[in-house]
Amino acid sequence: MTVTPAKSDRAYAPVLRKAAPTEAAGYAAFAESVFANTEGEIPLKYRELIAIAVALTTQCEMCLESHTKAAHEAGATREEIAETTFVTAALRAGGAYTHGMKAMRVLDGLQE
């Protein structure tokens, strides 16, 4: 039996866009405007570092790849990307800690 190599997930982008063209166009226009805004207060390099932080948190591999490349092209250094990683990790851990507090509150409610 011959196994056909699997397509990458990115290969399905045209399929997804064709299946929902209005929504895909709206998403593309919004996402493009966020990173094309040269009049905004946040420079592109910082926008891309924020995008890396969000991609690390959401664990979106495609976003991580594309925004790391874009951040590099916008002048981000290895050190800036590394620090972004640890800022993200600290906040992600903080989220677990604060949700642990919520779990304690829920537990208290169950024991009343």
Side-chain angles (χ1 to χ4, degrees):
M1 179 168 132
T2 304
V3 177
T4 305
K7 288 182 179 179
S8 76
D9 290 341
R10 285 188 192 269
Y12 288 93
V15 174
L16 187 58
R17 287 192 300 265
K18 184 177 179 184
T22 301
E23 292 83 352
Y27 169 77
F30 172 65
E32 183 179 320
S33 72
V34 168
F35 292 96
N37 180 7
T38 58
E39 301 299 318
E41 296 299 317
I42 301 173
L44 178 60
K45 179 173 83 169
Y46 299 130
R47 288 173 187 257
E48 292 298 348
L49 289 170
I50 292 167
I52 290 171
V54 172
L56 289 167
T57 300
T58 62
Q59 299 178 332
C60 176
E61 290 184 30
M62 287 183 222
C63 294
L64 186 58
E65 290 174 14
S66 62
H67 290 290
T68 299
K69 181 178 184 239
H72 173 73
E73 290 171 357
T77 65
R78 178 177 302 273
E79 294 76 14
E80 288 172 320
I81 293 170
E83 288 181 18
T84 297
T85 299
F86 286 103
V87 169
T88 303
L91 267 69
R92 182 82 173 183
Y97 181 65
T98 60
H99 278 76
M101 294 176 207
K102 289 180 181 267
M104 295 296 104
R105 178 178 47 80
V106 169
L107 185 60
D108 281 351
L110 295 173
Q111 295 174 344
E112 291 177 355

